[in-house]
Amino acid sequence: MSSVGLCTSLIPEAKAVLDLVDKCPKHPKKGDFPVIVIEGLDATGKTTVTQSVKESLNAVLLRSPPACISEWRKTFDDKPNHIRRAFYALGNYLVALEIAKASIKSPVIVDRYWHSTAAYSIATEISGKKQNLPPEHHEVYQWPEDLLKPDLVFLLTVSPEERIRRLQGRGLEKTKEETELEANSLFCQKVEESYKRMENPECQEVDASPSREEEMH
Ligand SMILES: Nc1ncnc2c1ncn2[C@@H]1O[C@H](COP(=O)(O)OP(=O)(O)OP(=O)(O)O)[C@@H](O)[C@H]1O
Ligand SMILES: Nc1ccn([C@H]2C[C@H](O)[C@@H](COP(=O)(O)O)O2)c(=O)n1
C-alpha cells in the first residue's frame, strides 16, 4: 500500500487505485461455494483451462488484476518494480472482494491471484540462480493474513519445449531465439520454483502438457 500511496503526486493513477481500495470493505469473507485459483507461467494454459472449468462448473470467472483497474495496468507496468508489484498486490485485495460476492452464489475460478504476485516479485528481486531463492518455509512464501484465501490453487506446468511451442503458436512478434530464451530463462525457473514453495494454501501441481483433445478423455 505504501509504495502506491507515496507516489500519488507523481502518478495520478495511483490515487484512483487507492480510492478504489479505500472504498473496499476490509476482510471480506468467502461464500459457501468453492474458490479455485489457476496459476502458472505465461502460456501454460491458464486462460484455456479457466474458460473450460468455468463452463463445466457453471462458475464465475475472475482474474487478477481485476477489470476495475486494468485500464491503469500499462502505466504501472512501466514503473519501477516495487511500484509495479504494489499495484498487483492491491489488485489482489480488489479481486478478493469480487470473490467474496461471487462465491455466495456459485463456484468461482480465478486466473492468477496472490501466488503470481509473490512468485514474480521473488524471482525479480533474487538475482542469479534458482539456488539463491529464500529457503523453503521462508515468510515470503506465506499467504497474507488479511487476504481472502481460496479453497484450492492449481499450478499448471509444462516443459520448456512445450511452452516454446505454445508461445510461438500464439504468433506474437518474437523471433524463435527470443521465445526460447524466454521459456528457458532463469527467471522462469525462479518463478516456477517460488510457486512450488508457496504455503497455506500450497499450489497443487498439474501437468498441463496433454493436448486439449487428450485432456477431454
Ligand atoms: N493443452 C494444450 N495443448 C496445446 N496447446 C494449448 C493447450 N492449452 C493451451 N494451448 C495453447 O497455448 C497458448 C497459451 O494458452 P493460454 O493463453 O491458455 O495460456 P495462459 O497461461 O493463459 O497464458 P498467459 O498467462 O500468457 O495469458 C494458446 O495459444 C493456447 O491455444
Ligand atoms: N495477480 C497478479 C497477476 C499478474 N501479475 C504479473 C506477473 C507477470 O509479470 C504478469 C503476468 O500477467 P499476464 O501476462 O498473465 O496477464 O503480471 C502479478 O504480479 N500478480
Side-chain angles (χ1 to χ4, degrees):
M1 181 93 54
S2 55
S3 299
V4 175
L6 286 172
C7 62
T8 49
S9 55
L10 296 172
I11 314 170
E13 292 86 350
K15 180 165 175 355
V17 175
L18 285 174
D19 283 350
L20 274 178
V21 175
D22 282 345
K23 281 190 211 135
C24 273
K26 305 286 172 269
H27 311 294
K29 295 251 173 327
K30 198 181 81 61
D32 288 338
F33 283 88
V35 174
I36 303 165
V37 176
I38 307 292
E39 295 282 11
L41 287 166
D42 290 357
T44 47
K46 296 180 299 300
T47 306
T48 311
V49 168
T50 50
Q51 271 300 340
S52 130
V53 176
K54 170 192 152 71
E55 280 154 32
S56 48
L57 292 185
N58 214 1
V60 167
L61 172 55
L62 299 173
R63 57 176 44 89
S64 173
C68 61
I69 58 167
S70 58
E71 66 182 292
W72 300 304
R73 187 172 181 179
K74 174 80 181 67
T75 303
F76 285 93
D77 275 347
D78 292 339
K79 301 289 174 239
N81 271 327
H82 64 289
I83 296 176
R84 179 167 188 256
R85 294 302 163 200
F87 169 80
Y88 284 104
L90 288 178
N92 291 318
Y93 286 82
L94 295 172
V95 172
L97 192 61
E98 296 182 358
I99 296 174
K101 283 185 192 154
S103 60
I104 297 171
K105 294 189 177 157
S106 61
V108 179
I109 177 114
V110 193
D111 189 339
R112 293 197 189 273
Y113 192 26
W114 179 263
H115 287 327
S116 276
T117 308
Y120 280 82
S121 304
I122 297 165
T124 307
E125 291 302 319
I126 304 300
S127 57
K129 47 190 199 265
K130 206 165 75 171
Q131 286 76 3
N132 296 348
L133 288 172
E136 287 181 42
H137 312 304
H138 190 281
E139 61 181 352
V140 294
Y141 305 121
Q142 310 303 316
W143 191 265
E145 272 175 21
D146 59 350
L147 182 63
L148 184 150
K149 257 187 215 180
D151 296 294
L152 273 173
V153 183
F154 291 111
L155 170 65
L156 306 188
T157 59
V158 296
S159 67
E161 296 75 22
E162 176 60 15
R163 218 163 74 75
I164 290 170
R165 276 192 286 277
R166 293 186 189 182
L167 283 165
Q168 285 176 340
R170 283 206 297 212
L172 298 179
E173 287 171 19
K174 280 189 180 157
T175 63
K176 185 164 183 289
E177 189 181 52
E178 279 172 332
T179 322
E180 276 175 19
L181 273 174
E182 186 180 315
N184 286 306
S185 73
L186 266 180
F187 178 75
C188 294
Q189 293 176 30
K190 285 186 282 190
V191 172
E192 202 161 271
E193 181 58 30
S194 301
Y195 273 131
K196 289 178 185 171
R197 293 187 188 186
M198 295 296 166
E199 291 180 354
N200 193 26
E202 63 184 7
C203 296
Q204 314 284 332
E205 191 176 341
V206 174
D207 176 3
S209 352
S211 68
R212 273 165 291 212
E213 292 69 32
E214 285 173 296
E215 276 169 357
M216 304 293 224
H217 297 105

